[in-house]
Amino acid sequence: MGTPGEFSISELVARTGVPAASIHHYRRLGLLPLPRRAAANRFLYDQRHVDAVERIRDLRERHRLPLRHIAQIMDAESTDNADMAKVPDSGEQLRDMAIQEFALRGYTEVSVADICTLAGVAKGTFYRHYRSKQDLFFHAVEAVVDNTAEEFAAAVAGQVGLSRQELTRRLAETLLPGLPIMLEVAKRSVQGQVEHAAAAQRVFWRLAERLGEALSDDPRGHRLAGALIMDAIAHIFAESLMGRFADRPKFEDGGAVNALTASD
């Protein structure tokens, strides 16, 4: 029996809407308070854990921050040190604002001045970190890839033998927030911009490699990673056309993507 206010992992999942695999991953990274061990394989959680999980989700979904940055922010918040910056340094601050703006408005509509203003950074500081807007854009895309891979790894951690359809669904959920900026580099590649074509190729292979690492316990891992990316993008577009992304990513099994996943 737990003390008043304590509850199981299933209740924490129900209260936050975050999968148990992700919660366990956050706990391993030190992002959550230690739960109370009630038995050899049973831990109890409380409102602190609900608040922490919801804070992580807010920073991931609204601000598109990677987990390593979220750890620094939450550490600063937990020590109540008002003098600590909310982001690690000005270069990362610029990059995080760039991810947000490039995803919302597109590469062409965003200027260096826009990003500097939003990040609260002087233009001179910008050029100490990045050679140009394009250089920042490429760094932003790479960060989005790493964020996506981290979240996917958390979503499949410890779960071997998931169907291809389920892997597609989970990748689609983690890929969705960063997809606009990945599609931006792909669009510019198709338009014949050589440097963006090379960047698009790097992005795809980097993502496939990171996903393969996340699936390392699955014998299909590296072979499946590239195909999953294409399946997940198709899944997102199919669901989007049916109006299912009005508030946040929601996926149902079946639909148009079945034809893509039927081979496994």
Side-chain angles (χ1 to χ4, degrees), residues 144-161:
V144 166
V145 167
D146 290 340
N147 295 351
T148 300
E150 286 176 1
E151 289 297 302
F152 180 72
V156 300
Q159 301 183 57
V160 181

Side-chain angles (χ1 to χ4, degrees), residues 118-184:
L118 289 167
V121 171
K123 263 194 174 184
T125 302
F126 176 94
Y127 289 106
R128 289 204 299 269
H129 293 285
Y130 303 103
R131 296 187 302 274
S132 62
K133 182 174 81 167
Q134 179 174 272
D135 182 40
L136 172 59
F137 178 67
F138 291 155
H139 278 86
V141 175
E142 289 177 359
V144 166
V145 167
D146 290 340
N147 295 351
T148 300
E150 286 176 1
E151 289 297 302
F152 180 72
V156 300
Q159 301 183 57
V160 181
L162 293 173
S163 69
R164 180 163 169 177
Q165 185 174 17
E166 178 61 18
L167 288 170
T168 295
R169 186 186 68 82
R170 296 191 187 195
L171 178 57
E173 289 177 340
T174 56
L175 185 64
L176 180 59
L179 187 58
I181 194 169
M182 293 190 213
L183 292 179
E184 179 73 24

Side-chain angles (χ1 to χ4, degrees), residues 52 117 122 187 210:
T117 298
K187 179 189 78 173
R210 294 292 307 276

Side-chain angles (χ1 to χ4, degrees), residues 15 25 56 79 109 111 191 203 217 221-222 225 229 254:
R15 293 189 184 199
H25 185 62
I56 293 166
T79 57
E109 298 302 316
S111 68
Q191 291 172 340
V203 165
D217 292 333
H222 288 278
I229 297 170

Side-chain angles (χ1 to χ4, degrees), residues 215-230:
L215 295 167
S216 60
D217 292 333
D218 190 315
R220 303 169 298 168
H222 288 278
R223 177 179 62 84
L224 185 59
L228 278 180
I229 297 170
M230 305 310 295

Side-chain angles (χ1 to χ4, degrees), residues 31-231:
L31 294 173
L32 302 180
L34 289 175
R36 186 173 73 82
R37 185 187 291 273
N41 294 310
R42 183 167 174 262
F43 294 89
L44 293 176
Y45 301 82
D46 55 40
Q47 186 59 39
R48 295 172 304 151
H49 299 92
V50 174
D51 294 342
V53 171
E54 290 179 343
R55 178 67 170 140
I56 293 166
R57 185 172 63 188
D58 178 67
L59 290 168
R60 284 290 296 119
E61 294 183 356
R62 194 149 60 92
H63 300 287
R64 298 187 174 91
L65 295 179
L67 291 176
R68 62 183 180 276
H69 293 179
I70 290 172
Q72 293 173 311
I73 291 171
M74 294 182 71
D75 182 61
E77 291 174 346
S78 68
T79 57
D80 197 29
N81 185 348
D83 293 328
M84 290 186 70
K86 290 293 184 180
V87 290
D89 62 42
S90 55
E92 292 175 341
Q93 190 172 1
L94 285 161
R95 189 196 60 202
D96 292 338
M97 284 298 102
I99 290 172
Q100 173 183 300
E101 292 305 298
F102 287 140
L104 289 174
R105 298 164 54 195
Y107 181 86
T108 303
E109 298 302 316
V110 178
S111 68
V112 168
D114 292 335
I115 295 168
C116 288
T117 298
L118 289 167
V121 171
K123 263 194 174 184
T125 302
F126 176 94
Y127 289 106
R128 289 204 299 269
H129 293 285
Y130 303 103
R131 296 187 302 274
S132 62
K133 182 174 81 167
Q134 179 174 272
D135 182 40
L136 172 59
F137 178 67
F138 291 155
H139 278 86
V141 175
E142 289 177 359
V144 166
V145 167
D146 290 340
N147 295 351
T148 300
E150 286 176 1
E151 289 297 302
F152 180 72
V156 300
Q159 301 183 57
V160 181
L162 293 173
S163 69
R164 180 163 169 177
Q165 185 174 17
E166 178 61 18
L167 288 170
T168 295
R169 186 186 68 82
R170 296 191 187 195
L171 178 57
E173 289 177 340
T174 56
L175 185 64
L176 180 59
L179 187 58
I181 194 169
M182 293 190 213
L183 292 179
E184 179 73 24
V185 73
K187 179 189 78 173
R188 299 178 73 80
S189 170
V190 171
Q191 291 172 340
Q193 300 185 41
V194 177
E195 290 184 338
H196 286 262
Q201 186 177 48
R202 288 197 307 272
V203 165
F204 179 84
W205 288 112
R206 184 186 183 105
L207 182 57
E209 181 179 44
R210 294 292 307 276
L211 296 182
E213 292 170 359
L215 295 167
S216 60
D217 292 333
D218 190 315
R220 303 169 298 168
H222 288 278
R223 177 179 62 84
L224 185 59
L228 278 180
I229 297 170
M230 305 310 295
D231 287 0

Side-chain angles (χ1 to χ4, degrees), residues 15-30:
R15 293 189 184 199
T16 62
V18 174
S22 295
I23 291 171
H24 289 312
H25 185 62
Y26 298 156
R27 183 161 62 86
R28 286 193 294 271
L29 292 176

